[in-house]
Amino acid sequence: ATPADVRMKAWEFHQELKAESPFKDLKWRVVGPEFCGGRIEAIACHPDEPYTIYVGAGSGNLWKTINNGTTWEPVFENESTFAIGSVTIAPSDPDIVWVGTGEVLMARSSYAGTGVFKSMDAGKTWQNMGLHDSHHVPQIVIDPEDPDVVYVAALGHNYGYNEERGVYKTEDGGKTWKRVLYISEKTGIVEIVMDPLDNKTLYAAAWERDRKAWNNVVRGEESGLYKSVDAGQTWKRLTEGLPVGEYVGRFGLAIAPSDPNVVYALLDNHEPPPDGTRRRRRGEIYRSEDKGETWKKMHQDGVPTAIGYDFCLVRISPDNPDEIFVLGNKLIHSIDGGKTYEEAGETVVHVLSHDIRVNHLDMHAMWI
């Protein structure tokens, strides 16, 4: 990969050219096609104004609506990257918005970002807060009591190994960073979540992976779940009831808002089936009812949707710890804690004009 300092120096040169250009005052306008865009990788909703929503496209900017999606404005137009991996609003001050750059799909077409960005004015202006060599930032968690305390899940390079991976923490709003969880140069963190009733308890999903143009390694012995009960100072690996070893792939994580004792993990498990047939559905849901100390697989076969390196997310209903949604190439829904499933979606009515009335394939993000 091009070194981070070289990329940032190129961006400075780009800014100089833009300032000196005779065309600098001209504005672009869309001439077609009517529908354009890319994969949506991140969604964040204002805690007090649900009609205000931020949406990040994997390779196409951060967008904001203040009218329930009727109109959208690009708010990340003039930064050093257009690849969005995550967006998070500070619970205690919704004017503070953080963006992690670099798409999390991790395909050959997934572009690297240039670190993490912070806005203090609800997306009007941005400041790059560093971690330039993290390349792909899937998750940012902001302390609900102190917006200067921020945790970043850094996945690292898509192609090849690098050191800037793991969980990073700042206590001064991004001026300085400390890496509080590090596995190795080949294993990054793909998801981090915080207990809604205890800001010192966090869970993180480590993912060992390496992409080549001709191959994609998406599993390994270093993949697994970690937990901290002291605001990230120390971590322990969670293994009781969970698969470990060379076949463990990407994990998705979610804590039940109505009962934080309940934690779900969605695993992309590559263990070969005992009958020697080719495994088509690798997704497995595990549930913990004691804050991650022990886990139980909730079903016999794989979940009825394809998951993998490109999407591996589970979400929980805010008022029912037994109601979950699994995001794969289809959206599936369970009301019994993951024992049985039905396909979700039914009739979909788009906010903007669209002929299709069904869910499109590939679910990359969800907000309830």
Side-chain angles (χ1 to χ4, degrees):
T2 303
D5 58 341
V6 175
R7 296 180 70 203
M8 298 315 296
K9 190 168 291 186
W11 173 246
E12 292 176 8
F13 183 53
H14 172 90
Q15 295 292 81
E16 293 173 7
L17 289 175
K18 183 177 178 181
E20 298 169 359
S21 171
F23 308 110
K24 63 179 184 245
D25 295 324
L26 295 180
K27 303 296 181 184
W28 289 93
R29 67 184 178 91
V30 176
V31 295
E34 180 183 358
F35 301 112
C36 54
R39 300 178 287 258
I40 299 302
E41 290 288 325
I43 303 171
C45 193
H46 194 292
D48 304 315
E49 303 170 359
Y51 45 81
T52 298
I53 308 167
Y54 296 87
V55 166
S59 58
N61 214 315
L62 180 71
W63 298 78
K64 180 180 179 181
T65 178
I66 57 174
N67 53 21
N68 273 332
T70 305
T71 59
W72 295 85
E73 177 187 5
V75 295
F76 209 71
E77 286 282 82
N78 300 305
E79 308 311 320
S80 52
T81 180
F82 54 80
I84 307 298
S86 55
V87 56
T88 305
I89 302 171
S92 60
D93 184 353
D95 283 343
I96 300 176
V97 184
W98 282 77
V99 165
T101 62
E103 188 182 20
V104 190
L105 176 70
M106 308 310 285
R108 281 184 287 266
S109 57
S110 295
Y111 293 99
T114 53
V116 292
F117 290 74
K118 177 183 178 182
S119 174
M120 300 291 291
D121 51 16
K124 293 178 184 176
T125 59
W126 297 91
Q127 182 179 359
N128 190 319
M129 305 307 295
L131 304 181
H132 300 144
D133 206 37
S134 59
H135 274 211
H136 302 272
V137 178
Q139 198 76 43
I140 297 175
V141 171
I142 305 173
D143 191 297
E145 298 177 5
D146 184 353
D148 283 338
V149 177
V150 180
Y151 301 86
V152 171
L155 192 51
H157 291 187
N158 191 14
Y159 291 88
Y161 302 156
N162 75 306
E163 286 290 320
E164 198 165 273
R165 301 173 183 254
V167 175
Y168 287 83
K169 179 182 180 182
T170 179
E171 296 180 334
D172 53 17
K175 296 176 184 176
T176 60
W177 295 93
K178 179 181 179 182
R179 188 169 61 186
V180 295
L181 176 61
Y182 176 70
I183 312 300
S184 79
E185 64 177 6
K186 61 183 178 180
T187 301
I189 302 299
V190 69
E191 194 150 10
I192 182 170
V193 293
M194 177 185 286
D195 189 314
L197 299 183
D198 179 8
N199 62 352
K200 289 184 170 49
T201 296
L202 301 112
Y203 303 84
W207 187 20
E208 180 180 336
R209 65 174 313 282
D210 182 29
R211 160 70 77 175
K212 296 290 188 294
W214 60 90
N215 192 23
N216 192 15
V217 179
V218 293
R219 57 181 175 85
E221 294 183 357
E222 293 181 351
S223 297
L225 299 185
Y226 289 80
K227 179 182 178 181
S228 173
V229 295
D230 53 12
Q233 293 184 57
T234 61
W235 297 80
K236 74 171 182 177
R237 187 168 182 177
L238 305 175
T239 59
E240 187 65 35
L242 291 173
V244 294
E246 62 177 310
Y247 297 114
V248 176
R250 178 176 175 174
F251 272 101
L253 278 172
I255 304 174
S258 59
D259 182 1
N261 290 313
V262 177
V263 186
Y264 287 89
L266 172 63
L267 170 62
D268 178 27
N269 192 343
H270 290 255
E271 183 177 3
D275 59 4
T277 59
R278 183 178 179 182
R279 195 185 192 107
R280 302 187 71 118
R281 289 173 177 162
R282 301 186 301 261
E284 297 176 347
I285 281 287
Y286 293 82
R287 172 173 163 145
S288 171
E289 297 182 356
D290 54 10
K291 293 181 179 281
E293 297 303 312
T294 60
W295 298 82
K296 177 183 177 183
K297 186 179 176 182
M298 298 305 295
H299 51 89
Q300 185 66 33
D301 299 316
V303 295
T305 184
I307 68 160
Y309 68 88
D310 38 9
F311 29 66
C312 184
L313 298 174
V314 56
R315 295 293 181 258
I316 309 173
S317 177
D319 56 358
N320 183 359
D322 293 328
E323 183 177 16
I324 65 171
F325 297 85
V326 175
L327 282 69
N329 74 331
K330 296 185 293 184
L331 178 65
I332 57 174
H333 174 225
S334 174
I335 58 173
D336 54 14
K339 297 175 183 176
T340 61
Y341 296 89
E342 63 179 359
E343 187 171 346
E346 298 182 355
T347 299
V348 176
V349 179
H350 292 262
V351 175
L352 305 179
S353 62
H354 205 290
D355 295 333
I356 297 175
R357 289 292 180 267
V358 296
N359 261 349
H360 176 65
L361 293 175
D362 298 357
M363 307 296 163
H364 293 268
M366 182 180 188
W367 176 81
I368 304 174

